[in-house]
Amino acid sequence: MAFASSRIGAQEAIIKPCDLCEDDEDVNWFCKDCFQNLCDRCKKMHLKTANCKHHEVVSILEGIAITKEAVSNLCQDHNVPFSFFCRTCDQNICSKCLSKKHKKHDFIDIHEFQSELHKELDTILNEKETEKEQMTKNLVTWSEFETRCEKTLRENYTNIDKRVKAITSAATEEGEKLKKYLQSKEEGQMTESKESKEKIEARKDAYNAEIQVIKQNIPLQTTSTLNQFVKTSVSRLQSLKPLSLPMPRSTTFTIGSIKKDQIRDMIGRDSDQRDASGPSKDKTKKRRKNGLEKLQIMRSHKLDIESGCYSMCLSPDGSIWIGGEGYVYKISSDCSTVLHQIPTRWSVCPCRYISCLQSGDAVVSYGVFSSDIDRFTSDGRRVDFADLSPNDTSYIAVSDDHKVAIAVGKDLFIPTSVVLLSKEGKRLNKIEMDVNIASFCFDNDGNYVISDIKHQCLTTLDRNGTVLKKTEMKKSYPERMSCDRYGNILGVNGLNVFLINDEMKVQQSFIVDCDYINDISIDKDNRLSILVDNTKVIVAKYLE
């Protein structure tokens, strides 16, 4: 067969015109069995020949491709078909190549090698098909997830809208009830006032009539009867008792306040529900325990106050209360303006401890030598609050439920008890303990956190005095303390400000560049304000 003839003949099948008549016109055919180019006339003759009538004749273009493929399957050095594949040289070789320069190489029969390649290709194709099917399933899963998310989002929107409308409706309803109540109360007072006015008018007419009768009868009296007439007239006049209008009771509406957290609690919160592939994580707790960063000093302010500054607290409206000597100051949030300068009870006694109620009023204790506690209103007035005689007052703290706690002691400088007062100054209870209180504050659950220098520990106890937790603090006990919104305690010892988590473990400590730290206070955004050297406020950020 011509395919096995020669490589040169195969190449000529592409170059030469018709291999039978050598005509270069109408060469449109190629015999796959003879490996020859054929013109139209020779094709007919070729297929009529007895030996060739069963040959397969194809178009010249297909013949060119067959010829090229045949040439590519021939060894260029020996002009014979490839029989093996040399793994060492990564190429096809013939049997003559194998006995010469590829001797002792790693080789394989070319048909077996092709089978291996086909198997490898089939394996990869199967893997890719499997991956494609998995991606298709994933796409379906994600499509279902997107649909479920859209449905959940619409349901959430609907529920939120319903909740907001329900709260708005309830608030409107309560407002209408309040309006009707105030209106009925005012109408009742107006009716009462009208009735009282009518009674007074009637009594006035009675007065006038009685006086006129007496005046008319005076000339008719003789000297002998005048004395008796005067006595009788005086008795009748004295029996007439005057009536007065009742004092009007003004029914005023006081605007209430509500916190953002209360609004969120009424409407609802996001609950992150996970499937079995991953548990739900509390990001707030993670921040509380692991979200610490270095203390960042945001700004510092020199206070324009002549007397020394001994204590400080932040008001909910952003202003700052400063306890001075003989005065309590309310200053703007940027410390540039003194809003109020209020004289204290004692002109030379410093305000050692100060804390702020939710109303914005400040409560002050004067430290040792005094049992007085005063309240300073946000509009600049001093109001007597409480007198804890015969104790000496010390540290002061205010809880979220408006209760005021004061550390007290009978001996100077050694507070051993805590007295709890209402926001009106009424004494609620007193807890006596075997401690020496260095400082204390409320935690976020309303319990006392006490720095005890006698036993060198931090003690958490409820308002009945039951000890809930006790942690040793031998290295550094807080001399001033404050609790942030995450439940962490920030304390001061010397020039160090350190953070204690809700498990009573010190997380990080910062050294403040100053001579003395007077007090610390934390606002709702976890910005830490530090009063230092009796003259300066440093504002810092310590959490993300």
Side-chain angles (χ1 to χ4, degrees):
M1 192 169 59
F3 177 78
S5 60
S6 69
R7 177 173 165 235
I8 297 174
Q11 289 178 331
E12 287 177 351
I14 301 174
I15 300 171
K16 289 175 63 176
C18 179
D19 286 320
L20 296 181
C21 66
E22 298 185 355
D23 191 0
D24 57 357
E25 293 182 3
D26 300 324
V27 182
N28 299 320
W29 307 100
F30 178 80
C31 179
K32 293 176 65 176
D33 296 283
C34 301
F35 219 73
Q36 292 177 336
N37 295 336
L38 301 172
C39 64
D40 292 343
R41 187 178 69 253
C42 293
K43 172 197 172 186
K44 295 177 181 180
M45 293 174 60
H46 186 73
L47 293 176
K48 289 180 180 180
T49 307
N51 295 331
C52 302
K53 64 180 180 179
H54 297 297
H55 286 190
E56 184 179 0
V57 178
V58 296
S59 67
I60 190 67
L61 294 178
E62 189 175 346
I64 293 173
I66 293 171
T67 305
K68 286 184 177 179
E69 183 181 357
V71 171
S72 64
N73 288 328
L74 295 177
C75 177
Q76 296 181 2
D77 295 332
H78 305 104
N79 200 26
V80 294
F82 293 123
S83 302
F84 303 95
F85 178 80
C86 180
R87 296 183 188 274
T88 307
C89 301
D90 194 24
Q91 67 180 42
N92 296 328
I93 59 175
C94 67
S95 57
K96 295 181 179 181
C97 294
L98 181 62
S99 61
K100 294 182 180 181
K101 63 179 180 180
H102 293 276
K103 190 176 183 180
K104 295 184 180 181
H105 283 191
D106 182 13
F107 62 91
I108 186 174
D109 183 83
I110 194 167
H111 297 294
E112 293 181 10
F113 182 65
Q114 288 176 349
S115 299
E116 288 185 0
L117 292 179
H118 282 295
K119 289 180 181 179
E120 182 179 354
L121 184 59
D122 289 339
T123 302
I124 294 175
L125 288 174
N126 290 334
E127 291 177 355
K128 296 306 174 184
E129 286 292 336
T130 303
E131 291 177 0
K132 186 182 75 172
E133 291 175 1
Q134 186 61 44
M135 285 191 289
T136 303
K137 292 180 181 178
N138 290 341
L139 286 173
V140 172
T141 302
W142 273 105
S143 299
E144 294 174 352
F145 176 73
E146 288 177 353
T147 303
R148 190 165 65 250
C149 282
E150 291 176 357
K151 181 181 178 181
T152 304
L153 188 61
R154 287 194 298 269
E155 291 176 352
N156 288 341
Y157 283 169
T158 302
N159 291 335
I160 291 172
D161 288 340
K162 287 181 180 179
R163 189 65 176 148
V164 170
K165 288 178 181 178
I167 293 172
T168 304
S169 175
T172 304
E173 184 179 347
E174 289 298 320
E176 291 298 327
K177 288 182 181 178
L178 181 60
K179 285 167 62 177
K180 290 180 181 179
Y181 170 75
L182 293 176
Q183 183 179 1
S184 63
K185 196 171 182 180
E186 290 291 345
E187 289 175 352
Q189 291 191 19
M190 291 176 66
T191 301
E192 181 183 354
S193 177
K194 185 177 180 180
E195 292 174 352
S196 299
K197 184 178 178 182
E198 290 174 353
K199 290 180 181 178
I200 292 174
E201 290 288 348
R203 185 59 58 89
K204 177 184 173 184
D205 293 341
Y207 266 65
N208 187 50
E210 193 67 36
I211 291 172
Q212 291 299 328
V213 170
I214 294 174
K215 285 183 178 181
Q216 290 174 1
N217 290 326
I218 289 176
L220 302 177
Q221 305 302 319
T222 62
T223 303
S224 60
T225 61
L226 183 60
N227 182 39
Q228 183 62 37
F229 177 77
V230 169
K231 291 180 180 180
T232 303
S233 298
V234 169
S235 176
R236 290 171 61 183
L237 290 173
Q238 287 178 343
S239 66
L240 293 174
K241 299 296 183 182
L243 296 178
S244 60
L245 280 171
M247 291 298 295
R249 298 185 300 275
S250 177
T251 305
T252 58
F253 170 70
T254 303
I255 297 176
S257 61
I258 188 168
K259 298 179 180 179
K260 291 181 179 179
D261 286 342
Q262 292 173 316
I263 296 175
R264 281 194 287 268
D265 287 338
M266 284 190 293
I267 294 177
R269 296 175 184 265
D270 166 43
S271 58
D272 187 7
Q273 297 177 350
R274 306 293 177 88
D275 57 17
S277 62
S280 177
K281 296 181 180 180
D282 190 340
K283 295 182 180 179
T284 302
K285 289 186 177 180
K286 185 177 180 181
R287 283 190 63 190
R288 286 166 58 182
K289 294 181 179 180
N290 303 320
L292 296 177
E293 59 184 18
K294 292 183 179 180
L295 185 69
Q296 297 179 358
I297 304 298
M298 300 171 66
R299 56 186 180 273
S300 61
H301 307 279
K302 183 78 173 180
L303 298 176
D304 187 17
I305 296 175
E306 294 182 0
S307 64
C309 304
Y310 300 93
S311 56
M312 170 191 66
C313 68
L314 301 175
S315 175
D317 62 4
S319 58
I320 304 174
W321 285 100
I322 299 290
E325 185 172 339
Y327 292 94
V328 167
Y329 303 89
K330 185 178 183 181
I331 63 177
S332 59
S333 58
D334 60 358
C335 300
S336 62
T337 307
V338 177
L339 304 176
H340 296 294
Q341 180 177 341
I342 313 166
T344 63
R345 183 190 300 247
W346 312 102
S347 60
V348 294
C349 187
C351 302
R352 296 286 183 185
Y353 311 100
I354 188 169
S355 194
C356 194
L357 298 167
Q358 293 295 322
S359 62
D361 295 354
V363 183
V364 172
S365 66
Y366 299 97
V368 296
F369 307 109
S370 173
S371 61
D372 299 314
I373 306 168
D374 286 337
R375 179 171 180 168
F376 293 84
T377 63
S378 56
D379 58 357
R381 295 178 293 110
R382 184 187 67 80
V383 181
D384 291 347
F385 186 68
D387 183 358
L388 300 181
S389 298
N391 297 295
D392 296 303
T393 67
S394 187
Y395 307 98
I396 184 168
V398 175
S399 68
D400 287 342
D401 58 353
H402 309 287
K403 301 297 189 298
V404 179
I406 310 291
V408 299
K410 295 181 180 179
D411 299 324
L412 297 183
F413 304 107
I414 307 178
T416 57
S417 306
V418 175
V419 175
L420 186 66
L421 308 171
S422 68
K423 63 180 180 180
E424 293 82 15
K426 181 181 178 181
R427 178 167 168 170
L428 301 177
N429 70 353
K430 181 179 180 180
I431 300 175
E432 296 183 353
M433 298 166 284
D434 180 26
V435 296
N436 290 346
I437 301 175
S439 62
F440 81 103
C441 67
F442 284 102
D443 65 12
N444 287 350
D445 296 324
N447 300 313
Y448 300 120
V449 181
I450 294 176
S451 175
D452 178 12
I453 57 176
K454 181 177 180 180
H455 303 98
Q456 294 184 327
C457 67
L458 277 180
T459 303
T460 303
L461 55 143
D462 62 20
R463 296 185 186 181
N464 296 320
T466 303
V467 176
L468 305 177
K469 190 185 301 183
K470 184 177 289 188
T471 307
E472 290 187 0
M473 296 289 292
K474 293 185 177 181
K475 292 184 179 180
S476 55
Y477 60 87
E479 298 169 342
R480 296 271 181 155
M481 288 197 299
S482 187
C483 182
D484 68 13
R485 61 176 176 169
Y486 295 138
N488 302 310
I489 303 294
L490 273 93
V492 172
N493 186 291
L495 300 181
N496 292 314
V497 177
F498 51 92
L499 185 140
I500 307 167
N501 65 12
D502 54 357
E503 296 177 355
M504 295 303 171
K505 294 182 180 179
V506 176
Q507 291 290 295
Q508 197 165 353
S509 177
F510 317 107
I511 298 177
V512 182
D513 184 15
C514 63
D515 294 329
Y516 182 75
I517 297 179
N518 301 95
D519 205 351
I520 60 173
S521 187
I522 307 169
D523 67 7
K524 60 183 179 181
D525 295 322
N526 271 9
R527 280 191 293 268
L528 174 65
S529 295
I530 310 171
L531 178 64
V532 301
D533 299 334
N534 300 105
T535 57
K536 185 167 65 174
V537 172
I538 297 174
V539 180
K541 187 176 182 181
Y542 66 95
L543 285 175
E544 295 178 349

